[in-house]
């Protein structure tokens, strides 16, 4: 079984030293959230994930969720762990105190998301979608809906889902067919089938609150005619007590490559009673509140799985002995494989990407809080623009890197990585869904390039480039950081050139742009990681004497990143700007 130690030192380093986002620090609601509180929460979270949740990963993989006699049963140990999980208040961590939440910022809950993803993604998914559904209801539900449904979702005795996908539509939601007919009392009857619904049914909670996209009979075709409905598995009375079973049933659950402990369900809605959330025909916009936050969390899933893969590969490489390294001191016998240059390169590749991602997502968590809670609307909007720009980047880059890192971890284990005993191949299989769900990574890249760079709020990418440029200029003044600032500057210029190329090509050839989206997302993502590393380096050089080993490690890891990972930017630029003729003119047989 894979082992795991939550990386609290790195998380606390970010929380204490990189919490220098001025607008975040202006937020009144988080004034009390200091380092002691953060450390206490992270230490409790570490105990929970290392001891209680981690063993569920193997249990769920070996004994997946099952569907028998119309009931979905979770793997052994899940029920007991979930009971403890909600008794200790973990579902309520980031929720509004008005509904029983603890009101912690995403700067803390994102670390908890990472720990849970490392320990067991399957187990995590049972509460993850509940938080997504909670966010959507909080932002778009009426007061009476919030009062009736949110407290039990926050406490975790009810869970939530998001029901978008149908047999005919995954990416293209404009095709969806589920019908909603309005009733005389203002409720709706929903009929249709949803597939691939994560935690659509299970035995962990008393009720499940489905958020369902459906179409009213008079709705316009396509995405402009979609409304959002809250449909409980069991009807809920005015006082929030449970009533009769609603018209929602489970058809089957999927047999899958990974995340086998998570129940992925076919749900049939047969005149199920639902309540409209948000305005008629604007359901997709409301659902996007949930999906945008959720997409960042999916990126963090990739980060969490990468972290546990790295930790296990590192430990193994310090034990496994094979061959002699170039600098071997041995006259007899083999060296541990971490002495070989290529193993060291692979480990540093993982570490430098993971720590850069953690720093980037910590900064994004601050920006998300500013976008939700700042009192100045202009600052709020600017933060919201940055979050919307970076959401597809974090979702895609972190999950794609998760594939690279879990594959490399397997490689370090050699044959023992491919076989099941060490639990490494499971990390690869579990991570494989993350580039697919919540909108495939290809679609994220299209969203980034066609909708997020420049939109009605202005030149968002230009503002982001400006922000990086300013940090580069500031850091150039510092002799120790200048080398890194210069390297980042070279790559920022490539991002600027690529952005101009996209703008020009948008007028001449949409195919050229479509064929470049994936490369562009990678360029922006790698530059964003470089920017995060620059901030880490600034602190590391300044504070080196306070914690020498920690900061020297950071500087050495950054050197690897700037010399060996950042050059991928140029490769993606060359590939992305080569045009689409080499793709579109090919005749597949
Ligand atoms: C384990 C699991 C859990 C899931 N959980 C949920 C859930 O809780 N709720 C829910 O609603 N759904 C869920 N899904 C569904 C998931 O979000 C969809 O599978 C995903 O959005 C892709 O849709 P699709 O499978 O229909 O693929 P398609 O949309 O058919 O896409 C097929 C391929 O075509 C590409 N493609 C599609 N459109 C374009 C385009 N315009 N340009 C370029 N390429 C394109 C895609 O990138 C993909 O590579 C889950 C799926 C799985 C497997």
């Amino acid at each position: 079984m894979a082992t795991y130690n939550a990386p609290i030192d790195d998380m606390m380093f970010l929380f204490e030293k990189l919490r220098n986002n001025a607008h975040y620090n202006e937020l009144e609601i988080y004034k009390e959230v200091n380092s002691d509180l953060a450390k206490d929460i992270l230490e409790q979270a570490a105990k929970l994930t290392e001891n209680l949740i981690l063993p569920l990963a193997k249990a769920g993989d070996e004994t997946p969720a099952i569907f028998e006699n119309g009931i979905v049963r979770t793997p052994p140990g899940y029920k007991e762990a979930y009971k403890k999980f909600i008794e200790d208040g973990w579902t309520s961590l980031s929720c509004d105190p008005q509904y029983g939440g603890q009101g912690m910022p995403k700067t803390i809950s994102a670390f908890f998301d990472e720990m849970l993803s490392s320990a067991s993604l399957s187990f995590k998914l049972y509460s993850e979608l509940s938080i997504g559904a909670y966010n959507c209801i909080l932002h778009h539900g009426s007061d009476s809906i919030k009062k009736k449904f949110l407290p039990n979702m926050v406490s975790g005795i009810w869970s939530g889902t998001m029901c978008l996908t149908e047999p005919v539509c995954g990416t293209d939601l404009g095709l969806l067919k589920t019908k909603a007919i309005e009733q005389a009392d203002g409720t709706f009857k929903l009929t249709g089938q949803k597939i691939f619904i994560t935690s659509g049914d299970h035995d962990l909670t008393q009720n499940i609150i489905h958020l369902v996209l459906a179409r009213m009979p008079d709705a316009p075709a396509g995405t402009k005619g979609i409304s959002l409905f809250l449909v409980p598995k069991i009807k809920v009375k005015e006082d929030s007590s449970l009533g009769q079973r609603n018209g929602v049933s489970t058809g089957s659950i999927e047999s899958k490559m990974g995340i086998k402990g998570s129940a992925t369900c076919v749900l049939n809605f047969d005149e199920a009673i639902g309540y409209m959330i948000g305005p008629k025909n604007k359901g997709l916009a409301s659902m996007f509140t949930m999906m945008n936050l959720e997409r960042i969390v999916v990126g963090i899933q990739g980060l969490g799985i990468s972290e546990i893969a790295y930790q296990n590969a590192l430990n193994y490489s310090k034990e496994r002995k094979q061959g002699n390294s170039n600098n071997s001191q041995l006259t007899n016998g083999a060296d541990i494989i971490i002495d070989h240059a290529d193993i060291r390169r692979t480990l540093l590749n993982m570490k430098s990407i993971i720590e850069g991602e953690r720093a980037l997502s910590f900064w994004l968590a601050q920006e998300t809080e500013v976008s939700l809670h700042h009192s100045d609307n202009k600052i709020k909007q600017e933060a919201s623009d940055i979050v919307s720009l970076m959401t597809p980047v974090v979702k895609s880059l972190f999950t794609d890197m998760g594939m690279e890192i879990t594959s490399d971890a397997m490689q370090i284990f050699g044959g023992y990585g491919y076989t099941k005993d060490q639990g490494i191949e499971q990390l690869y299989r579990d991570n494989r869904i993350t580039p697919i769900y919540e909108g495939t990574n290809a679609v994220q890249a299209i969203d980034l390039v066609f909708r997020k760079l420049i939109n009605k709020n202005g030149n968002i990418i230009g503002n982001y480039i400006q922000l990086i440029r300013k940090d580069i200029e500031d850091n150039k003044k510092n002799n120790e950081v200048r080398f890194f600032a210069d390297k980042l500057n070279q790559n920022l210029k490539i991002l600027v050139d690529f952005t101009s190329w996209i703008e020009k090509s948008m007028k001449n050839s949409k195919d050229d742009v479509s064929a470049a989206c994936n490369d562009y997302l990678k360029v922006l993502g790698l530059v964003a990681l470089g920017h995060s590393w620059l901030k880490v380096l600034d602190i590391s050089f300044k504070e080196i004497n306070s914690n020498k080993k920690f900061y020297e490690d950071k500087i050495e890891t950054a050197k690897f990143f700037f010399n060996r990972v950042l050059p991928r930017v140029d490769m993606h630029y060359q590939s992305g700007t080569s045009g689409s003729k080499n793709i579109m003119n090919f005749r597949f047989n």
Side-chain angles (χ1 to χ4, degrees):
M1 188 176 103
T3 57
Y4 176 62
N5 285 305
I8 296 186
D9 286 353
D10 199 34
M11 291 171 172
M12 281 310 296
F13 155 70
L14 295 172
F15 190 85
E16 289 182 328
K17 307 292 182 189
L18 258 81
R19 210 182 47 183
N20 49 5
N21 181 322
H23 296 318
Y24 175 78
N25 289 323
E26 285 158 11
L27 299 178
E28 278 304 319
I29 46 167
Y30 299 131
K31 283 274 188 273
E32 312 276 296
V33 183
N34 56 27
S35 293
D36 288 345
L37 179 58
K39 189 147 193 238
D40 189 39
I41 294 173
L42 294 184
E43 280 172 354
Q44 297 301 325
K47 260 194 226 154
L48 175 96
T49 47
E50 290 166 5
N51 302 326
L52 186 73
I53 314 289
L54 183 65
L56 301 177
K58 191 165 194 270
D61 198 52
E62 288 179 348
T63 316
I66 52 164
F67 181 57
E68 57 180 13
N69 305 325
I71 293 172
V72 177
R73 296 193 195 286
T74 52
Y78 272 49
K79 257 185 171 172
E80 297 75 10
Y82 187 79
K83 187 163 173 280
K84 173 93 178 112
F85 188 78
I86 65 171
E87 272 168 13
D88 291 353
W90 290 108
T91 43
S92 68
L93 188 64
S94 61
C95 299
D96 189 337
Q98 196 184 342
Y99 301 103
Q102 299 175 54
M104 285 300 115
K106 293 188 174 30
T107 47
I108 292 182
S109 67
F111 290 145
F112 184 49
D113 280 322
E114 184 195 318
M115 289 187 200
L116 278 175
S117 307
S118 293
S120 169
L121 179 54
S122 286
F123 180 80
K124 180 186 198 301
L125 287 170
Y126 287 102
S127 57
E128 180 169 317
L129 276 303
S130 297
I131 300 301
Y134 156 87
N135 277 319
C136 188
I137 299 168
L138 185 75
H139 286 101
H140 303 290
S142 65
D143 285 345
S144 64
I145 288 272
K146 287 190 219 175
K147 206 167 139 226
K148 195 163 153 185
F149 291 94
L150 289 186
N152 286 335
M153 293 177 77
V154 170
S155 74
I157 63 170
W158 297 353
S159 60
T161 70
M162 52 191 286
C163 301
L164 295 82
T165 309
E166 299 182 6
V168 289
C169 69
T171 301
D172 187 357
L173 293 169
L175 301 173
L176 76 78
K177 289 195 170 133
T178 298
K179 275 188 312 193
I181 311 281
E182 190 163 9
Q183 306 299 295
D185 63 358
T187 63
F188 292 80
K189 281 190 174 168
L190 277 86
T191 301
Q193 189 180 62
K194 296 287 175 180
I195 62 164
F196 293 156
I197 305 306
T198 299
S199 319
D201 201 4
H202 55 79
D203 55 3
L204 301 181
T205 58
Q206 295 168 10
N207 202 2
I208 302 176
I209 309 305
H210 303 292
L211 288 184
V212 186
L213 289 181
R215 196 182 283 291
M216 288 172 64
D218 61 347
T223 52
K224 292 199 169 78
I226 296 173
S227 302
L228 177 64
F229 301 88
L230 183 158
V231 183
K233 171 180 166 179
I234 300 172
K235 290 180 196 161
V236 176
K237 297 181 192 158
E238 279 317 305
D239 63 356
S240 297
S241 61
L242 296 181
Q244 306 270 308
R245 189 69 205 243
N246 202 357
V248 189
S249 60
T250 306
S252 59
I253 68 171
E254 305 296 339
S255 168
K256 310 191 292 294
M257 170 186 189
I259 57 163
K260 295 180 182 211
S262 163
T264 310
C265 305
V266 173
L267 293 182
N268 296 314
F269 294 83
D270 187 9
E271 299 203 329
I273 298 294
Y275 310 90
M276 191 183 277
I277 301 288
K280 180 179 171 181
N281 295 335
K282 302 270 187 238
L284 213 48
S286 307
M287 189 63 119
F288 264 99
T289 307
M290 178 171 178
M291 280 161 62
N292 280 335
L293 293 170
E294 194 50 35
R295 282 175 178 169
I296 295 176
V297 178
V298 173
I300 293 174
Q301 293 174 6
L303 165 61
I305 296 180
S306 299
E307 171 67 31
I308 185 171
Y310 166 68
Q311 287 187 16
N312 283 270
L314 175 64
N315 292 341
Y316 186 76
S317 65
K318 289 180 190 165
E319 289 165 7
R320 177 72 173 167
K321 291 181 179 165
Q322 289 292 295
N324 287 122
S325 66
N326 295 336
N327 306 307
S328 179
Q329 304 291 319
L330 297 178
T331 48
N332 196 2
D335 287 306
I336 45 178
I337 58 172
I338 199 170
D339 288 344
H340 297 298
D342 192 61
I343 296 279
R344 301 177 75 81
R345 176 194 62 75
T346 312
L347 289 167
L348 273 164
N349 185 59
M350 297 173 172
K351 183 174 163 64
S352 70
I353 292 169
I354 289 168
E355 291 180 17
E357 287 180 352
R358 190 173 293 123
L360 175 59
S361 67
F362 180 72
W363 173 75
L364 200 62
Q366 296 176 71
E367 288 291 306
T368 305
E369 291 296 357
V370 173
S371 78
L372 293 170
H373 299 295
H374 205 281
S375 53
D376 182 325
N377 280 338
K378 185 166 173 281
I379 293 171
K380 213 171 166 176
Q381 185 58 52
E382 281 166 5
S384 172
D385 291 340
I386 290 288
V387 173
S388 84
L389 177 78
M390 295 310 289
T391 296
V393 177
V394 165
K395 195 277 176 181
S396 295
L397 186 76
F398 290 19
T399 57
D400 280 349
M401 290 299 191
M403 290 323 303
E404 175 176 322
I405 289 171
T406 52
S407 174
D408 280 351
M410 229 191 317
Q411 198 71 13
I412 287 184
F413 272 83
Y416 300 97
Y418 189 74
T419 53
K420 288 205 171 241
D421 293 353
Q422 306 284 338
I424 302 305
E425 55 80 44
Q426 186 192 339
L427 299 175
Y428 181 85
R429 285 187 289 107
D430 281 356
N431 191 71
R432 189 60 189 88
I433 185 60
T434 62
I436 296 175
Y437 62 13
E438 284 302 331
T440 63
N441 283 2
V443 172
Q444 300 299 316
I446 292 167
D447 176 49
L448 169 71
V449 171
F450 281 91
R451 285 190 282 275
K452 301 285 174 68
L453 299 183
I454 297 170
N455 61 28
K456 65 177 176 17
N457 297 323
N459 184 0
I460 315 296
I461 185 68
N463 296 342
Y464 183 57
I465 287 170
Q466 204 46 40
L467 191 112
I468 300 178
R469 195 172 277 142
K470 183 175 174 310
D471 284 342
I472 290 174
E473 289 309 317
D474 289 349
N475 277 290
K476 270 187 175 172
K477 293 173 203 146
N478 178 343
N479 276 344
E480 289 160 316
V481 192
R482 185 179 301 137
F483 163 81
F484 302 96
D486 285 342
K487 280 234 176 243
L488 183 59
N489 204 26
Q490 289 160 18
N491 288 284
L492 186 68
K493 282 189 181 137
I494 296 178
L495 174 64
V496 171
D497 288 349
F498 204 167
T499 308
S500 307
W501 183 91
I502 293 274
E503 279 168 24
K504 266 194 231 120
S505 305
M506 205 67 99
K507 291 175 198 137
N508 306 329
S509 164
K510 289 246 166 80
D511 273 345
D512 279 359
V513 180
S514 295
C517 289
N518 181 33
D519 284 307
Y520 184 85
L521 184 144
K522 293 286 176 348
V523 167
L524 175 54
L526 289 162
V527 168
L529 292 186
H531 181 217
S532 302
W533 266 116
L534 196 68
K535 290 188 259 186
V536 170
L537 281 162
D538 179 32
I539 306 285
S540 300
F541 281 113
K542 279 185 189 142
E543 308 233 347
I544 192 155
N545 290 326
S546 66
N547 193 349
K548 225 167 175 352
K549 168 82 177 80
F550 181 86
Y551 288 119
E552 276 175 0
D553 262 18
K554 282 284 178 205
I555 294 164
E556 292 307 308
T557 310
K559 280 184 191 160
F560 182 94
F561 183 85
F562 280 84
N563 284 309
R564 284 185 169 260
V565 181
L566 205 51
R568 295 186 199 190
V569 164
D570 192 45
M571 183 274 287
H572 284 295
Y573 173 65
Q574 299 297 340
S575 158
T577 54
S578 68
S580 62
K581 287 205 174 68
N582 51 6
I583 298 171
M584 298 313 282
N585 293 350
F586 188 82
R587 283 180 307 228
F588 287 101
N589 291 324

